[in-house]
Amino acid sequence: MTTREITWSRRITIEEHIRNLGTHSHFVVMDPAERAQLLGANRTEPARLFPDGELDEPYRCGLTVVRPATDRA
């Protein structure tokens, strides 16, 4: 078994970040008014923290490779 962790980030606009959030299943199934309110709140704080309108979105991916045992008979 081999395990690796891969990290990376991408620079995106706040609007791209909000559009991406809106595709997550818990947002998709929300009441539209509640979804709009929550996405609006998620837009406000990053706009304050990143006045240039862009942010780095970090990712971390764990990868585990398992190979079947071979019969040595």
Side-chain angles (χ1 to χ4, degrees):
M1 177 171 72
T2 303
T3 302
R4 296 240 165 91
E5 183 176 278
I6 302 164
T7 59
W8 74 95
S9 67
R10 64 180 184 157
R11 187 110 179 125
I12 61 170
T13 67
I14 292 169
E15 288 307 313
E16 288 171 315
H17 176 70
I18 297 302
R19 279 195 302 272
N20 183 38
L21 281 179
T23 67
H24 294 197
S25 59
H26 58 280
F27 283 101
V28 172
V29 298
M30 278 183 177
D31 172 74
E34 184 182 4
R35 179 175 52 245
Q37 180 181 9
L38 190 53
L39 289 174
N42 276 277
R43 182 180 288 109
T44 301
E45 188 62 14
R48 186 182 71 73
L49 295 171
F50 303 97
D52 68 347
E54 293 187 345
L55 54 89
D56 288 320
E57 193 172 63
Y59 289 87
R60 181 182 304 168
C61 178
L63 174 65
T64 301
V65 177
V66 179
R67 297 193 174 147
T70 59
D71 184 14
R72 297 180 186 231

